[in-house]
Amino acid sequence: MHTLAAFESAARLGGFAQAAAELCITPSAVSHRIRQLEALLGEQLFERSPTGVRLSPAGQRTLQGVREAFDKLAQLFNTETQGMRLTVGSPPTFARNLLIPHLHEFYQQWPDIDLQLAVAAPMQEKPERHDVDIRFGKPPFDDRLSIKLFDDQLLVLAAPGYLARRPLACPADLAHADLLRSPLVPWLPWMVAAGLEAREPARGPMFTDLGFLLEAAASGLGVAICPGRLAQHWQENGQLVALFEVAVPSESTYYALVNREAAQRPEVGAFLDWLCATFA
């Protein structure tokens, strides 16, 4: 550890004297420790000249590995002394209506994990990455491991007030309804399953967030199509009513995205296990 610390300090600060001042030892001690490391590795880490030293190609490779190792040690220290921290990115509607109502159950099992929940807006081109990201859609999303949280079915929903103004007795009546749209959930698969000869609606209000879509339907703006699990909150409150008895599996649902390396961290693994068990 002493040799690695001397090497990293000299490489970062650009000289043995600077490293000696930082480590509170003599320059000759720094030189001795680096020679010990070079002997251990069998490679010359610095190119020495009358004007000073600079990293050799082997030194540059070694420096990257040493810094990664020091970073991991720092993370371990922070985990033990400050508790485990976990950042989670989630679409706002999933967080508000599905995740947050269950978080007290997570903390009952894992009180030492500090969870930081961030909003991840749907349909961003390059969204910010977190330890775990929850996304709606179908894989592949990016280069990370994707874990499906649950399967779902599409529901057609409308507010009781809207139905009072415009009764919808069968799927064919949708031809005269105001259809609310979202690029996240197309109408066409449900229409085909309902036996309608129809195309994807080309007109009508468009919403890129499913929560906005459901709120618009609940306000009486029109008829929405959405995965049923997400709409449960609006149905339980009586704001939305499911129409017709046409069961269509949703092609898109919610997934947890995580780097395979990050998934090995205990707090990440604990959260993923809890997430899958809670929403299975």
Side-chain angles (χ1 to χ4, degrees), residues 11 25 40 53 75 137 158 232 254 271 275:
I25 57 178
L40 180 65
V53 297
Q75 290 174 9
Q232 187 174 353
Y254 286 97
F271 182 74
L275 202 61

Side-chain angles (χ1 to χ4, degrees), residues 206-275:
M206 176 76 77
F207 303 91
T208 59
D209 177 81
L210 295 181
F212 292 169
L213 173 72
L214 293 169
E215 284 292 345
S219 70
L221 191 61
V223 183
I225 185 167
C226 185
R229 192 76 174 269
L230 194 64
Q232 187 174 353
H233 169 76
W234 283 264
Q235 289 182 270
E236 291 175 348
N237 288 344
Q239 295 174 282
L240 290 175
V241 177
L243 308 178
F244 320 123
E245 294 184 0
V246 180
V248 181
S250 176
E251 294 181 1
S252 297
T253 187
Y254 286 97
Y255 289 79
L257 307 186
V258 63
N259 286 324
R260 294 182 184 274
E261 182 178 345
Q264 303 305 312
R265 288 164 44 195
E267 67 275 24
V268 176
F271 182 74
L272 290 173
D273 289 345
W274 173 83
L275 202 61

Side-chain angles (χ1 to χ4, degrees), residues 63-280:
L63 179 61
Q64 181 178 354
V66 169
R67 284 178 172 168
E68 289 175 357
F70 281 178
D71 286 343
K72 288 182 178 179
L73 287 173
Q75 290 174 9
L76 177 63
F77 177 78
N78 287 336
T79 295
E80 291 181 344
T81 58
Q82 300 177 12
M84 294 178 285
R85 292 180 181 175
L86 175 69
T87 60
V88 177
S90 171
T93 306
F94 180 91
R96 182 181 299 111
N97 295 291
L98 294 178
L99 180 59
I100 291 176
H102 290 281
L103 276 184
H104 68 282
E105 301 167 7
F106 175 76
Y107 280 116
Q108 287 175 353
Q109 297 181 43
W110 303 98
D112 295 330
I113 296 179
D114 290 331
L115 190 147
Q116 299 177 0
L117 186 59
V119 171
M123 301 188 66
Q124 286 182 309
E125 233 179 83
K126 292 184 178 179
E128 182 182 356
R129 292 195 178 194
H130 304 87
D131 295 327
V132 177
D133 280 298
I134 297 170
R135 297 274 184 83
F136 180 82
K138 49 188 176 181
F141 297 91
D142 50 38
D143 58 323
R144 290 176 290 177
L145 178 67
S146 58
I147 303 168
K148 182 189 286 188
L149 299 185
F150 51 82
D151 291 309
D152 213 339
Q153 289 191 330
L154 296 177
L155 296 181
V156 173
L157 304 133
Y162 182 87
L163 296 173
R165 298 194 310 270
R166 188 168 297 182
L168 301 172
C170 65
D173 291 341
L174 291 175
H176 309 292
D178 304 295
L179 301 185
L180 306 179
R181 302 180 299 148
S182 171
L184 297 169
V185 185
W187 273 93
L188 191 57
W190 187 92
M191 289 180 166
V192 171
L196 301 178
E197 294 183 7
R199 297 180 180 179
E200 186 67 31
R203 298 192 61 186
M206 176 76 77
F207 303 91
T208 59
D209 177 81
L210 295 181
F212 292 169
L213 173 72
L214 293 169
E215 284 292 345
S219 70
L221 191 61
V223 183
I225 185 167
C226 185
R229 192 76 174 269
L230 194 64
Q232 187 174 353
H233 169 76
W234 283 264
Q235 289 182 270
E236 291 175 348
N237 288 344
Q239 295 174 282
L240 290 175
V241 177
L243 308 178
F244 320 123
E245 294 184 0
V246 180
V248 181
S250 176
E251 294 181 1
S252 297
T253 187
Y254 286 97
Y255 289 79
L257 307 186
V258 63
N259 286 324
R260 294 182 184 274
E261 182 178 345
Q264 303 305 312
R265 288 164 44 195
E267 67 275 24
V268 176
F271 182 74
L272 290 173
D273 289 345
W274 173 83
L275 202 61
C276 291
T278 299
F279 295 106

